[in-house]
Every structure is written in structure tokens, then in C-alpha cells.
């Protein structure tokens, strides 16, 4: 049972796609922290340093040491998704940097929760290219899952999670249902009960969503602005800071 948890990563971990009515985002890492607090029946310390748009290098350079300095019992680590979406991906270099970061966390005696991101490639233009990259990166890091002090959650290989029902309108980020399913995968891997009120099992048992189609409106609203940011060197995370940069007490309804 972990009583303190810090998350690092990009939009996947920040929670983009799971927007809250009052503003901001929630996401799977928040769900995981709530599940931990419910199981512990007391508040836990939770920090989320993830920032959307970050490639693996900046995640490690900006977030890794900051998370370690908080001295949590567990750090979740995901990255590389934005590297995969670039025209060229230095796959060996990305895998090596990921590996070094996992060993850095382990070296501090902190448990590593290592995640592969959910796989959106069935719905994206050039999806087959990105799918192959993601599969190779996941395979290159599988041996880390055998290490003591590492828990690996392979969301990329969760075929059910590829259903369009779990994805937001941009088809790149999970919606609230998708984030809840990832949180369920994580808690199950940690042997922590998944709160029944999340309804994850019921959604998974329901019929699949319709086949995804990319219309001209989709390209205008999502693809072209994304290409524009790449061409001008901008990122969706420019000017943003971590939503929860320090370990703050978090309590679930079940722990109240």
C-alpha cells in the first residue's frame, strides 16, 4: 500500500481529454491517487508534475529530479508519445533515456510505476506508422518490468482501450471513460481495488463504438492546428506549469 505518489509525463498523465466542468483536467493519475486513498482509508500525498506537449527529454530534464526530491513512495513514469508523433523518431535514443530514468528512480529506493500510453493509432492519419513505433518502443523496454521495484502497465497493448468510445474528439487524447480504464489497469496491477462506482467493468462490457471516420471538419479543427504548431516550433504546453507540483493530501469519498 502506497501512501504518497508523484506522477510525471505529458498530456496523457496530466489528464488532457478528461476536462472538468469548473476548468482544468483530471485524468487517470488523479483516479489512481483517489483509488489509493480509498484503499488506505486515509489521505495520501499526491503530486502531478506532468505537462502536455512534452517530449521525453524535457519530461526527464524538468520533472524527474523534481519528483524524486518530493520523496514519494511511488513515481509513475510515462513518456515518448510526443516523440512518436514527430516525422523522425530516434527510437534507440528514446528507449535508452527511458531506461536510464527508470534506473534513476529505482536507485533512490522509490517504486517505479512504468506505463505505456494508450494506443490511438486506429483513429489517426498515418496511424500504422505510429503504431509500429509504439510497439517497438514498448518491446524494447519490456525487460524493465522484471526488475524489483518496477510495476509495468501496458496500456498500449490493451486492445479494448482502442475503442473510439474511450477517446476524445481529437482522437489523440483519452476522454473520461478512457482515463478511468487506464486507472483501472494501474490499480489492478498494484493489487488495489478499483472503486465500483467508476463503472469501468460496465463500460467495457457494453457494445463497441462505431468505426472512426476522419472528416474534413476533423482535419480543420485538430490536424491542421497540430501541424501548424509543429511548423512554428510551438507546443500545447508552452507557458504551462504543473497542476499539482507538490505532495498535497488527497482524500477519496470512501476515505472520508
Amino acid at each position: 500500500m502506497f501512501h504518497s505518489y508523484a506522477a510525471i509525463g505529458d498530456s496523457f498523465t496530466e489528464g488532457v481529454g478528461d476536462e472538468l466542468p469548473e476548468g482544468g483536467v483530471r485524468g487517470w493519475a488523479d483516479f489512481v491517487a483517489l483509488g489509493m486513498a480509498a484503499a488506505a482509508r486515509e489521505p495520501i500525498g499526491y503530486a502531478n508534475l506532468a505537462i502536455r506537449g512534452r517530449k521525453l527529454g524535457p519530461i526527464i530534464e524538468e520533472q524527474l529530479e523534481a519528483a524524486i526530491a518530493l520523496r514519494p513512495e511511488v513515481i509513475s513514469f510515462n513518456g515518448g508519445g510526443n516523440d512518436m508523433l514527430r516525422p523522425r523518431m530516434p527510437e534507440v535514443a528514446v528507449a535508452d533515456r527511458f531506461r536510464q530514468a527508470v534506473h534513476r528512480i529505482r536507485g533512490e529506493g522509490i517504486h517505479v510505476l512504468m506505463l505505456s500510453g494508450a494506443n490511438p493509432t486506429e483513429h489517426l492519419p498515418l496511424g500504422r506508422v505510429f503504431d509500429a513505433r509504439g510497439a517497438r518502443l514498448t518491446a524494447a523496454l519490456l525487460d524493465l518490468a522484471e526488475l524489483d521495484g518496477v510495476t509495468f502497465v501496458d496500456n498500449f497493448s490493451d486492445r479494448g482501450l482502442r475503442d473510439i468510445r474511450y477517446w476524445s474528439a481529437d482522437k489523440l487524447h483519452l476522454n473520461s471513460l478512457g482515463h478511468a480504464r487506464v486507472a483501472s489497469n494501474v490499480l489492478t496491477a498494484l493489487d488495489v481495488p478499483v472503486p465500483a462506482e467508476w463503472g469501468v467493468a460496465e463500460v467495457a462490457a457494453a457494445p463497441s463504438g462505431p468505426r472512426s471516420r476522419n472528416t474534413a471538419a476533423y482535419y480543420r479543427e485538430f490536424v491542421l492546428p497540430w501541424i501548424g504548431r509543429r511548423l512554428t516550433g510551438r507546443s500545447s504546453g508552452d507557458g504551462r506549469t504543473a497542476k499539482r507540483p507538490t505532495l498535497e493530501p488527497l482524500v477519496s469519498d470512501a476515505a472520508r
Side-chain angles (χ1 to χ4, degrees), residues 30-189:
D30 290 26
F31 278 122
V32 166
L34 288 168
M36 290 179 177
R41 297 203 170 274
E42 62 183 21
I44 68 162
Y46 171 52
N48 190 320
L49 286 72
I51 297 177
R52 66 193 68 183
R54 293 296 194 262
K55 295 168 69 176
L56 182 63
I59 291 171
I60 293 172
E61 293 157 9
E62 300 168 6
Q63 301 174 27
L64 179 62
E65 294 302 326
I68 289 173
L70 298 175
R71 305 308 307 173
E73 294 176 8
V74 58
I75 291 177
S76 67
F77 176 42
N78 166 265
N82 288 302
D83 299 77
M84 279 188 276
L85 296 176
R86 297 310 193 266
R88 291 181 177 83
M89 176 187 176
E91 295 183 20
V92 174
V94 169
D96 285 347
R97 291 209 71 179
F98 196 108
R99 181 179 301 277
Q100 292 165 11
V102 169
H103 286 301
R104 173 77 182 101
I105 299 169
R106 289 182 70 243
E108 291 293 330
I110 299 171
H111 192 89
V112 185
L113 178 57
M114 185 178 85
L115 292 89
S116 61
N119 187 346
T121 59
E122 291 185 4
H123 316 298
L124 296 178
L126 299 177
R128 290 184 180 179
V129 174
F130 304 137
D131 180 58
R133 289 177 178 177
R136 288 192 296 267
L137 180 60
T138 301
L141 298 169
L142 277 178
D143 62 295
L144 294 173
E146 304 302 319
L147 299 176
D148 291 336
V150 175
T151 298
F152 176 48
V153 183
D154 187 5
N155 297 291
F156 195 82
S157 300
D158 181 352
R159 295 203 63 85
L161 190 53
R162 302 183 188 189
D163 191 309
I164 193 63
R165 294 177 302 151
Y166 293 113
W167 296 89
S168 61
D170 67 6
K171 303 182 183 180
L172 182 62
H173 298 100
L174 295 169
N175 59 22
S176 58
L177 295 176
H179 280 284
R181 177 159 176 149
V182 169
S184 174
N185 290 346
V186 172
L187 291 176
T188 299

Side-chain angles (χ1 to χ4, degrees), residues 184-215:
S184 174
N185 290 346
V186 172
L187 291 176
T188 299
L190 293 174
D191 199 25
V192 174
V194 178
E197 59 268 24
W198 292 359
V200 175
E202 289 83 351
V203 173
S208 298
R211 181 177 177 81
S212 174
R213 298 183 182 278
N214 293 329
T215 64

Side-chain angles (χ1 to χ4, degrees), residues 238-252:
D238 287 347
R240 289 186 174 272
T241 57
K243 69 178 185 181
R244 197 178 177 99
T246 60
L247 287 175
E248 301 173 23
L250 180 117
V251 59
S252 75

